[in-house]
Amino acid sequence: MRTIVTVQAVVTAADCDREPTAAELDAIDAEMPLISAQVELLDAQIMTLDRPVSELDARRIRRALGKVLAARRAAANLSGTTGMVPEVGA
């Protein structure tokens, strides 16, 4: 028996199989301070899930939230001057 396979899949690559463009890599690089700050905030919040929040935990969360807000402000200011989008979603 012969198998029937579509030729279209060979001709056209799926979007998930391609490499990111230079513009996409630049957008990720511009977002990296915000991404890092959000990860730090998430880590601080995760640490408090299974225990009562101590003063040190609250301070850590406030500090991380301040970093997120500062990174968002910097990204917004950067987008106003260069035309870049501060948050590129997947």
Side-chain angles (χ1 to χ4, degrees):
M1 276 189 124
R2 288 183 2 188
T3 58
I4 300 173
V5 181
T6 61
V7 183
Q8 187 72 20
V10 176
V11 176
T12 336
D15 280 340
C16 62
D17 291 339
R18 68 174 180 80
E19 294 292 322
T21 64
E24 290 171 336
L25 290 174
D26 289 341
I28 292 170
D29 193 37
E31 277 187 55
M32 194 50 69
L34 177 58
I35 293 169
S36 298
Q38 288 173 334
V39 167
E40 186 177 336
L41 175 60
L42 187 62
D43 286 343
Q45 290 171 335
I46 287 172
M47 285 193 293
T48 62
L49 287 177
D50 61 345
R51 62 180 176 177
V53 179
S54 68
E55 180 61 34
L56 181 62
D57 293 330
R59 203 175 323 157
R60 185 177 293 128
I61 290 172
R62 279 195 310 269
R63 189 178 320 118
L65 183 59
K67 287 182 182 181
V68 168
L69 294 176
R72 283 186 183 167
R73 182 183 62 235
N77 289 339
L78 181 64
S79 71
T81 60
T82 62
M84 296 179 67
V85 178
E87 287 193 38
V88 177

